[in-house]
Each structure stands twice: as structure tokens, then as C-alpha cells.
Amino acid sequence: MSILIVKQGIADSIQDTGRFGYQHTGINPTGAMDTIAIQLANILVGNDPTAAVIELHFPASVFLFKQQACLAIAGADFGAMINDIPIATHTPVIIQKNCVLQFTKPIKGARAYLAVKGGFTLEHWLNSYSTHLKAGAGGYKGRYLQKNDELSLQEHHCFSSVLKDTDAEQANWKIETRDFYTNDKVIKVIQGKELSLLTEEAIQLFTASSFQITSKSDRMGYRMKGPAIAVPAQPMLSTGITKGTIQILADGQLIILMADHQTTGGYPRIAHVISADIPTLAQLTANDSITFKWVTQQEAEDAYVEQEQHLQQLQNACILRLQEYFTTYGIH
Amino acid sequence: MLLPSGYELYTVGDNAITISFGNTISVETNQIVIAVFHTVQQRKILGVRDIIPAYSSVTVCYDILRIREKYPSAEQFIRKELEKILSHDIQVQEEKTALINIPVCYDISLGVDLHEMAEIKQIPVEEIIRIHSSTTYRVFMTGFLPGFPYMGMVDEKIAMPRKTEPRTKVAAGSVGIADRQTGIYPLESPGGWNIIGQTPVQLFDAEKTNPVLLQAGNLVRFTPISIETFYHLKKKK
């Protein structure tokens, strides 16, 4: 049994937590933009946190579930509906077979993650399920999901005892996500190698200004609009770059590299977004403005470790809650 | 070969450290880069998940969480491991890789920038082809696209800067020149290199266990083929 895409979204793809170990061949890691939301969606349905999910952008795909299923949506709130029942984010939802899941309006955030209990039946490509759009490989046929695509589900459960007469039954608990995201749109950064090329005034401009995410932003990177930051022309050889790297282009504008970034680059790197703030950045959209705040390498690491510990606690709590929930209804 | 005394370690975000050997393109430096790449790979350092060799640098990407389970600072741990490696002599292996031959059709219909190059450089098209195909190139690094090889050094006589207006679409297999580098587009892509020909050889094949044909350290030579041979070889795939 499976789920069918009955209407195509703007840019929806299968992603997991990334493909590592191939960057020396020019194959970049890709993976979910919001590295936290993918894990939350998975733990809400009892999956491994790194399992493959569907990353949705608005307007998102419309899905027909041909079987009963347990699903969860994390990250952005796109006003999800099962038939005519509105469903919440960050909570497990049991749905009847032959129900339609659609997304009605972009309420909050930029990317939603749809996980289904047991996961999808997909083929690994280089140890990952992430869609590599450039290579046309991984995920589902190496491309965005299209109308009439059909994704097989790994598991089949009978949820009739939960559903009774309703098409969608939501759990009476949800995950609080506040602690994973920074509310004030202050993105924490650590120093980049070429920051030393900048004058004191230019560094001041970077630190004190606000920068707007432009519409020329996608999974590869965010093009920012703000005061031009002067950087002396200096020939630079291409060298390894990472997700979150902030480069200055020739016109003094910034680009922040995101999940589909290239493996190497040759623009001056003035700063790097810390791993713990990538999820916040991933949920911002065009016209949102951000400011930057310097932190140390140790602070960056600590923030990431703290996030992971919090995730681990949530996962443990979810496992217990799900067990309880399913036992009540006699589901194994 | 001994390591040059001058190397620098710097962080590239909170999960990567680059070992830099300066800012120049040279075979000697790149040989050290490749040797360091292999050494770091063999060392199987805790938490390391990607090693990216470039012209004169090696970037080591790591998983903060795996290291932090055992050490108070992932950065300090990786830094110390890399310093340990770099404090010993790095054995630069003689290039064992056989010369990889890449057939290229330099027909004007595929080498769409040949005419313009001939005009700017004041060199006949035949001479550009002869010069390009009579050098053995070294793959200094891959990047930009899966399996895109940055090769050098191109003879000064046919060196051309990137196009000011990049093309929105360059065909897969296109062979280009940018300054003193030559490269091959493994996939169709936007691109700014001057296109002088096309190879029927597939540089990227997702179905293969090792999907890319060329890797840093490989030696490459181009053999001119006719347009008939090009289409014949292309059809055979």
C-alpha cells in the first residue's frame, strides 16, 4: 500500500539527515534544511530520527493515503487538513485510508516535514535517502515529487480501533518546539577565515546591520540584501566550504550556504552560522530580516550538544507516550 | 617527501577544520594535499565524516556530537589529531594512477566557443585543439558539480578567463577552459567556462558504486575524435 501524490507541490522532495563521505568527489551532502524538524517529525511517529521524510515547501503537494497510517508534521505550519479536519503540527495523527492530506495556507515557517510511521520504501543511494537534485539521484527518482508519484510505505497497521467513525484522530499531546528556534531572528555566527581581510568599519557594518532574505534563495543558499560590505579584491583559490558559510560576493552582498551548497567555493568567507541555528534559518522566508551575533567555537558546540540532549529527552518521552497510546487501543 | 614547514589550520564553521598549504596552484603542493587526504582517510579519526581536498588545502568535516561524547571540545580534538598527522613526514606516493584517456570531439558544433577563442587569441582553431590535446593534465580537485574535475595546467597560449555572462545551459560532457584550468561538465548545468569540445564518456553515473570517473590526483590526456566517432560512441552507451 502507498500514498499517492494527487497534486504537485512547488519543491517537495525526500530528504534524510544527509549523505556524508562523498564530498571529495564533489557530491555534496544535501539532506533536510531544518535539521531539527526532520528529527521531530520522525520521533513523533516512533521512527529513527534520521529516517527519510518528505520536505514540503508552500504550496505543498496534496497526498492521497491509500491505507491507514500514523503521520506527523513538524517544522512549518501550512494549515494541514485531512479531508475537512484541520490537523496540528508536532503531534501524531492517525488517519483513515483513502483520506486526502492537503496544506491550505502558510501560517508559520518555510519548510514542513511529513513523517509516516515505519517510513517509506525507497532505495539507498550512497548510504542516504536524500534527494540529490543536481545528480538526479537518491530520494524518489532523484527529483522533486510530481503528480501521480506513488510512495510505498514500509509498514501496514490497522488503526481502526483508534479511528472508529472519524477520518483523523490526533493525540492529546504535542511537542513544544520553542527551545529549538531563536525567536528574535538573531543568528549566531563564528568567525570566518577571510574576516581578517575586512576593515574595522566593514566588520562593524556586518555586526550592526540587519540583512533581508531575498526571493533568490533556495536549498542551495540564501541571497541576502543589506548594506554592501567592502572586501578587498584578493585572488582566492577554491577550497572546502560548509553549510552555514557566509560568503561576500563581488557586489558586497552576502550569501549564506544551505543544504544543497557546493563542496568548494572561492568567495571570501567572513562568518559561519552555527549548527544549532541552521533550523531557525531554514524556517525563515523571503523578506524576513536577520541580524548576526558573534559567539565562540565552544559556545557553538555547546549549543548544538544541548539541542541534541533536548531531542534525546523528547524522543524518550515520545516512545513512552506512543507505547501507552497504542497499548490502550490494542495496536502493536 | 617532507611536509612544507608552513601550514595553517583554521575552522570553517563549528564542524570543519581546513589545513591550508598556501594560496598557489602547484603540482608539488597538490601532491601533498592528496597525500594528506589519504593519510587522514586511513587514520579513521573519530567523528570525521568528509575530507575535501582542494588545490592547496584539505578540509576535514566532523560530527560534533560523536566527538563530544568523549571529549570536551570537538574542535580541539580534531585540531590535535591533524597536528599529530602533520608533525610526521607525509609520504607522497609517486602517481600510480594510469593515464586516463578522454576522447574529445572538438567539432565547432560542440566546441561552441572555439571560434571566439581563435579570434581573441589570434590562434587558428586547429592549433587550439592541438595545444589542448598535447598536454597531460593533473586533476587538482573536484567540486562545483559531482565529479567535475579542475585540471591544469593549460598552456598560456590558450588560457582564457571565464565568460562574463555564464550560459544557463552547458551540455553534459562539455570540455571547457577557464584561465589555466580545463574541466569537463559531468552533468548539464549552467556554466561560465569556454567550451571547446565534448566527450562521449560519462563522467558521472549514479548507478555505479563509484559514480565519478575522475578524482583529485588523476592524470588525464585528451584524444581528438571525429564527430562521427563521437556520435557512434555516444550511441553505444
Side-chain angles (χ1 to χ4, degrees):
Chain A
M1 294 298 264
S2 62
I3 62 174
L4 178 74
I5 285 87
V6 290
K7 195 174 167 206
Q8 185 175 336
I10 183 171
D12 299 341
S13 64
I14 300 280
Q15 297 293 342
D16 62 12
T17 46
R19 177 176 288 109
F20 297 99
Y22 298 91
Q23 289 204 70
H24 59 285
T25 65
I27 297 171
N28 46 338
T30 69
M33 287 279 278
D34 183 338
T35 46
I36 287 292
I38 177 183
Q39 300 189 67
L40 294 177
N42 276 318
I43 64 179
L44 279 162
V45 295
N47 289 352
D48 183 289
T50 63
V53 300
I54 304 176
E55 181 180 85
L56 304 158
H57 293 79
F58 196 85
S61 310
V62 177
F63 303 92
L64 170 68
F65 279 73
K66 293 186 166 179
Q67 67 179 71
Q68 293 183 348
C70 172
L71 60 84
I73 295 154
D77 184 353
F78 292 159
M81 307 261 284
I82 297 288
N83 293 347
D84 53 357
I85 307 166
I87 60 163
T89 56
H90 303 108
T91 188
V93 185
I94 309 270
I95 69 163
Q96 187 53 271
K97 72 173 174 185
N98 294 324
C99 279
V100 170
L101 167 65
Q102 59 177 322
F103 298 86
T104 56
K105 52 182 180 290
I107 296 165
K108 194 179 173 214
R111 291 169 179 93
Y113 294 84
L114 169 63
V116 179
K117 183 173 171 55
F120 307 100
T121 306
L122 296 160
E123 270 177 49
H124 249 166
W125 181 59
L126 306 180
N127 303 323
S128 163
Y129 295 111
S130 284
T131 308
H132 197 298
L133 295 164
K134 271 241 166 82
Y140 185 87
K141 297 186 179 175
R143 58 161 169 77
Y144 289 132
L145 296 174
Q146 293 172 1
K147 188 178 172 173
N148 293 329
D149 284 350
E150 201 157 353
L151 290 163
S152 296
L153 301 186
Q154 293 263 44
E155 293 178 8
H156 187 262
H157 298 275
C158 177
F159 293 114
S160 301
S161 56
V162 184
L163 290 163
K164 300 195 180 76
D165 299 329
T166 178
D167 287 337
E169 182 67 26
Q170 305 179 56
N172 62 358
W173 50 275
K174 65 181 294 183
I175 282 181
E176 179 52 67
T177 63
R178 201 171 32 212
D179 292 348
F180 291 110
Y181 301 92
T182 62
N183 267 331
D184 46 5
K185 292 175 187 167
V186 179
I187 301 294
K188 294 186 278 305
V189 290
I190 51 181
Q191 294 192 1
K193 175 73 168 67
E194 283 80 31
L195 184 75
S196 57
L197 299 178
L198 268 56
T199 61
E200 205 50 56
E201 292 75 38
I203 296 174
Q204 186 57 30
L205 201 56
F206 173 76
T207 317
S209 309
S210 114
F211 296 86
Q212 195 179 41
I213 298 170
T214 70
S215 57
K216 280 194 213 154
S217 299
D218 55 20
R219 281 186 46 90
M220 274 186 77
Y222 285 5
R223 295 287 289 263
M224 310 301 289
K225 203 177 101 190
I229 297 171
V231 57
Q234 181 175 311
M236 248 188 81
L237 288 180
S238 275
T239 176
I241 46 182
T242 53
K243 183 160 67 181
T245 294
I246 305 177
Q247 298 177 314
I248 302 190
L249 303 180
D251 60 0
Q253 296 297 321
L254 306 180
I255 184 163
I256 309 178
L257 303 178
M258 296 299 280
D260 283 353
H261 70 86
Q262 296 173 13
T263 53
T264 55
Y267 290 109
R269 300 151 295 180
I270 57 167
H272 304 271
V273 175
I274 68 169
S275 298
D277 279 1
I278 292 285
T280 299
L281 205 51
Q283 290 302 349
L284 298 178
T285 54
N287 299 325
D288 280 337
S289 288
I290 57 172
T291 53
F292 297 108
K293 182 189 166 192
W294 297 112
V295 295
T296 63
Q297 197 84 22
Q298 191 66 34
E299 285 168 331
E301 276 188 26
D302 290 349
Y304 192 61
V305 170
E306 203 178 302
Q307 240 179 22
E308 172 62 21
Q309 285 164 348
H310 187 184
L311 258 180
Q312 193 66 54
Q313 285 165 1
L314 285 175
Q315 187 185 6
N316 293 341
C318 280
I319 290 170
L320 286 175
R321 286 288 183 100
L322 283 170
Q323 254 170 15
E324 219 175 79
Y325 188 63
F326 290 139
T327 310
T328 313
Y329 290 99
I331 299 161
H332 302 287
Chain B
M1 188 188 278
L2 277 173
L3 208 59
S5 53
Y7 74 84
E8 187 190 358
L9 296 183
Y10 62 84
T11 59
V12 190
D14 57 15
N15 57 25
I17 291 181
T18 292
I19 311 162
S20 172
F21 300 104
N23 205 26
T24 49
I25 303 181
S26 82
V27 172
E28 292 72 32
T29 306
N30 194 244
Q31 279 175 336
I32 294 165
V33 164
I34 304 303
V36 170
F37 164 75
H38 287 303
T39 310
V40 176
Q41 205 171 37
Q42 284 154 13
R43 209 56 68 92
K44 298 205 186 309
I45 302 168
L46 174 74
V48 168
R49 51 185 186 188
D50 262 307
I51 311 160
I52 317 171
Y55 286 112
S56 64
S57 66
V58 180
T59 299
V60 179
C61 309
Y62 53 89
D63 181 351
I64 299 169
L65 300 174
R66 291 221 26 217
I67 303 168
R68 286 290 297 262
E69 282 168 10
K70 283 197 171 163
Y71 300 91
S73 160
E75 182 219 347
Q76 289 304 322
F77 168 74
I78 294 290
R79 208 179 263 276
K80 284 205 185 95
E81 287 297 309
L82 296 180
E83 276 166 357
K84 245 188 271 171
I85 289 173
L86 294 164
S87 68
H88 294 97
D89 291 358
I90 297 283
Q91 282 302 313
V92 173
Q93 306 284 325
E94 281 305 304
E95 309 286 342
K96 273 190 236 128
T97 48
L99 202 58
I100 298 165
N101 186 55
I102 307 271
V104 177
C105 175
Y106 294 93
D107 190 87
I108 281 302
S109 63
L110 302 169
V112 287
D113 290 320
L114 271 174
H115 269 320
E116 192 187 298
M117 264 182 75
E119 214 163 284
I120 293 170
K121 290 273 158 190
Q122 289 293 304
I123 301 173
V125 166
E126 296 69 34
E127 185 62 5
I128 296 176
I129 298 168
R130 194 195 60 77
I131 294 171
H132 186 258
S133 59
S134 59
T135 308
T136 299
Y137 298 99
R138 175 186 178 81
V139 179
F140 282 92
M141 59 180 273
T142 54
F144 172 50
L145 288 171
F148 183 103
Y150 288 80
M151 296 173 283
M153 304 294 292
V154 167
D155 193 308
E156 289 274 21
K157 292 200 268 305
I158 58 167
M160 277 277 284
R162 280 177 182 76
K163 301 177 82 67
T164 40
E165 276 295 308
R167 284 194 174 83
T168 51
K169 213 184 209 182
V170 174
S174 292
V175 177
I177 287 178
D179 301 317
R180 294 199 59 192
Q181 301 294 295
T182 182
I184 310 169
Y185 287 79
L187 303 159
E188 185 187 282
S189 153
W193 291 40
N194 304 280
I195 305 303
I196 59 167
Q198 202 180 117
T199 176
V201 173
Q202 211 175 333
L203 266 82
F204 175 82
D205 185 352
E207 303 296 318
K208 289 191 175 155
T209 336
N210 181 9
V212 308
L213 180 68
L214 298 176
Q215 289 197 25
N218 286 162
L219 298 176
V220 171
R221 211 163 160 116
F222 298 110
T223 307
I225 55 168
S226 70
I227 188 96
E228 291 79 19
T229 312
F230 174 81
Y231 284 112
H232 176 72
L233 289 173
K234 222 172 146 87
K235 231 192 314 188
K236 260 202 335 208
K237 285 190 315 210

